[in-house]
Amino acid sequence: MSTLKMFVHNHGSKGDNSLLKTITFAITHFTVAFTVAYLLTGDILIGSLIAMVEPAINTVAYFFHEKIWARKERNARDATTSHPVARSF
């Protein structure tokens, strides 16, 4: 299975919930970005454009960040549960 396929499809009840976290992050980020851009410019169109571009790119980056973070935690957990017995010489 390709790395990208594993990243995208390993979520849900047996996965790490990164897709759900990404969706809620995106909604929050779009809302904040629009509010800030609108307050700074006073223009709904410019505020909307800024709120679409930057958060969209950031949301994709966040999804992969979450997948990498989950893999790191899983590897750390596996390393602590399957360490070899220490030998004394």
Side-chain angles (χ1 to χ4, degrees):
M1 183 181 292
S2 73
T3 303
L4 181 59
K5 197 176 210 179
M6 286 187 344
F7 269 30
V8 173
H9 294 290
N10 186 22
H11 61 272
S13 62
K14 295 183 181 181
D16 58 18
N17 290 325
S18 59
L19 187 58
L20 179 61
K21 287 175 72 178
T22 300
I23 291 167
T24 59
F25 171 80
I27 292 167
T28 303
H29 196 146
F30 281 108
T31 303
V32 170
F34 173 76
T35 302
V36 170
Y38 175 70
L39 290 174
L40 288 174
T41 64
D43 189 325
I44 290 178
L45 180 61
I46 292 174
S48 298
L49 289 172
I50 292 170
M52 289 292 129
V53 174
E54 191 275 334
I57 294 167
N58 203 356
T59 298
V60 171
Y62 178 80
F63 176 77
F64 288 105
H65 171 267
E66 281 295 307
K67 296 304 262 180
I68 292 166
W69 193 262
R71 179 181 285 178
K72 178 183 176 276
E73 288 178 339
R74 189 172 49 252
N75 289 344
R77 185 175 53 249
D78 291 347
T80 59
T81 59
S82 64
H83 56 79
V85 176
R87 296 181 185 176
S88 59
F89 292 100

